[in-house]
Amino acid sequence: MKKLLLFFGLIAFCCSCTNEKKESLILDESNFETTYRDKAVHLYTLKNENGMVAQITNYGARIVSLIVPDKSGKPTDVVWGYKNIKDYLSAGDIYSGPIVGRFGNRIAKGKFSIGDDDYQLTINNEPNHLHGGFDGLYDQVWEAKPFVNEQGEKALKLICVSPDGEDGYPGNFKISVVYTIKKDNSIAIDYVAKTDKPTPCNPTNHSYFNLHGTSSKTIDSHILWVKADNYTPTDSVLIPTGEIATVENTPADFREPTAIGKHINDDHELIRFGSGGYDMNFVLNKKRKGIEIVASLYEPENGILMEIFTDQPGLQFYSGQGMNGKDIGKRDDVHHKYSGLALETQGFPDAPNHSNFPNAILNVGENYEQSSIYRFRVK
Ligand code: BGC
């Protein structure tokens, strides 16, 4: 009997340790209570029954934490982020986890034309426009409504209105993004946008993933697979030349699962233009319009596998070479080179200036829609 009690006692102790561990990764929502741009900022915590927790703030519709179990069941926070709103607002790297846009990635010299009208956007990444400019969606406070969907899954709907002329963009632009924590440990991101004047539209989520759960280990060991035979080569300031080129014999060939570190230092234009890493757009092999699996990322050490599904034509891969050691993250992690990577589901960079790229102009009366899913499991 004593032995039995000891056994159950031990089990209870182990469970409480795991729970404690998990709880300690979850940030206190009060760390995010503030007012910014005259609007209230909050942090929302969404959980499912299978060990997945997402923390999302309405400041930039940003994923702050994404906690999933590794192969031993250990809760692991797989995104880079900060522990409070103060750190987000003072960070050197302003693109940790948010929705970027209206136009994610670059528009050459901030210029484009729609019909007979020429437009000039702000230049926030010399000599180009990047991720929506100075007042992009990532720096806005969104309206947020948590809800439970018909399948009983926890979700958060975020809405933002970007006024006509903001950062030079035409039209009042209204976007909603719904994050849903699904039963199968995936986070679904569903976007809908409308405008009252034709405008470039290419929003995406800009989370920095590190499947180790700590930046003390880099993303070099992650195994990446991307369903893309082609990519869009760029000039030295990362503007696409317009060519659709094969990935064959380039560091961008991830048609077979390959460790990211294998070619990250290759003497290749793609790596040089990326300033010592990947900063490139894959042309996804998509045969039909709907959502399908396009990429996966796997960390052999802890068995975490992330699978990406999207209905978008492109995937931007940025390997975090600009992370410069200055910002300090949630668990006092240092934001050093390659400590996180972005895999952004989207249209092609600079699409408004390339008639051979999929259209990225949203017209009046149309609905922009995007559905993307990041699913986590272990293998
Ligand atoms: C871009 C990079 C940029 C980074 C900022 C990526 O989406 O492709 O060029 O430096 O975002 O975090």
Side-chain angles (χ1 to χ4, degrees):
M1 185 65 185
K2 252 192 188 163
K3 269 192 187 154
L4 209 64
L5 277 175
L6 193 69
F7 174 73
F8 283 120
L10 253 173
I11 290 199
F13 176 72
C14 290
C15 288
S16 79
C17 285
T18 323
N19 280 338
E20 251 171 48
K21 258 259 165 72
K22 184 160 133 198
E23 289 309 323
S24 71
L25 291 181
I26 298 176
L27 300 172
D28 197 332
E29 292 181 356
S30 66
N31 295 359
F32 284 74
E33 295 294 309
T34 196
T35 303
Y36 181 68
R37 293 186 187 257
D38 290 329
K39 291 186 180 143
V41 176
H42 302 289
L43 182 69
Y44 300 85
T45 306
L46 278 57
K47 298 181 187 181
N48 72 5
E49 291 111 44
N50 297 313
M52 185 171 193
V53 183
Q55 293 196 285
I56 297 163
T57 171
N58 60 332
Y59 169 57
R62 222 169 262 265
I63 299 177
V64 169
S65 307
L66 199 57
I67 302 165
V68 295
D70 76 358
K71 69 178 174 201
S72 68
K74 181 178 158 220
T76 309
D77 184 354
V78 292
V79 292
W80 169 267
Y82 304 94
K83 53 168 116 37
N84 57 42
I85 188 68
K86 192 176 127 275
D87 289 0
Y88 275 96
L89 293 174
S90 60
D93 187 331
I94 52 183
Y95 304 119
S96 301
I99 300 295
V100 293
R102 300 181 192 186
F103 197 90
N105 212 275
R106 291 174 177 79
I107 294 186
K109 299 194 168 82
K111 291 183 192 302
F112 64 93
S113 304
I114 302 179
D116 294 335
D117 298 317
D118 298 333
Y119 294 94
Q120 176 67 61
L121 302 175
T122 53
I123 304 301
N124 62 329
N125 182 255
E126 282 289 345
N128 301 313
H129 176 87
L130 175 69
H131 291 335
F134 296 105
D135 293 320
L137 300 171
Y138 64 88
D139 195 47
Q140 300 295 329
V141 179
W142 298 47
E143 197 184 303
K145 285 187 201 124
F147 67 101
V148 177
N149 70 12
E150 282 169 7
Q151 291 74 48
E153 297 161 330
K154 309 262 171 39
L156 182 68
K157 181 172 189 172
L158 296 132
I159 296 172
C160 188
V161 177
S162 161
D164 189 13
E166 190 163 67
D167 275 286
Y169 284 99
N172 294 295
F173 175 82
K174 183 173 180 181
I175 178 165
S176 78
V177 169
V178 177
Y179 289 105
T180 309
I181 300 306
K182 304 186 86 67
K183 295 192 173 113
D184 64 353
N185 279 3
S186 59
I187 180 165
I189 315 179
D190 292 290
Y191 308 64
V192 179
K194 274 181 169 301
T195 181
D196 60 8
K197 282 185 195 160
T199 189
C201 174
N202 187 31
T204 186
N205 178 272
H206 200 287
S207 287
Y208 288 126
F209 296 100
N210 182 326
L211 301 184
H212 292 293
T214 165
S215 75
S216 60
K217 290 180 183 163
T218 73
I219 49 87
D220 280 12
S221 59
H222 292 358
I223 312 284
L224 178 65
W225 166 74
V226 184
K227 201 159 72 181
D229 293 335
N230 295 296
Y231 75 110
T232 50
T234 68
D235 65 13
S236 63
V237 289
L238 299 172
I239 296 300
T241 58
E243 191 194 347
I244 307 283
T246 175
V247 293
E248 187 133 12
N249 298 321
T250 79
D253 192 349
F254 288 95
R255 291 173 296 181
E256 291 299 323
T258 306
I260 290 172
K262 189 165 181 199
H263 294 293
I264 205 164
N265 289 311
D266 278 12
D267 182 18
H268 190 281
E269 194 175 88
L270 195 145
I271 301 292
R272 278 196 302 279
F273 293 167
S275 305
Y278 291 92
D279 196 349
M280 53 151 306
N281 171 58
F282 290 105
V283 175
L284 298 170
N285 301 347
K286 295 202 75 239
K287 291 196 188 73
R288 52 191 173 83
K289 273 202 154 168
I291 185 162
E292 61 184 274
I293 188 160
V294 296
S296 69
L297 189 70
Y298 173 61
E299 174 44 53
E301 193 177 75
N302 62 10
I304 296 181
L305 172 70
M306 175 174 89
E307 294 165 307
I308 305 177
F309 300 73
T310 191
D311 53 12
Q312 292 299 291
L315 184 72
Q316 181 77 16
F317 172 29
Y318 172 60
S319 54
Q321 53 275 24
M323 296 173 124
N324 59 11
K326 291 195 180 136
D327 293 327
I328 304 294
K330 281 174 276 193
R331 279 167 290 283
D332 298 328
D333 282 15
V334 181
H335 182 265
H336 57 65
K337 195 172 176 182
Y338 310 141
S339 54
L341 63 83
L343 285 165
E344 306 155 61
T345 55
Q346 57 180 37
F348 297 177
D350 199 32
N353 293 312
H354 298 278
S355 55
N356 59 326
F357 286 1
N359 171 55
I361 301 294
L362 177 64
N363 287 306
V364 179
E366 289 173 358
N367 261 349
Y368 166 87
E369 290 179 348
Q370 176 185 162
S371 292
S372 296
I373 295 176
Y374 295 78
R375 182 171 77 184
F376 295 86
R377 51 196 182 94
V378 289
K379 91 171 183 175

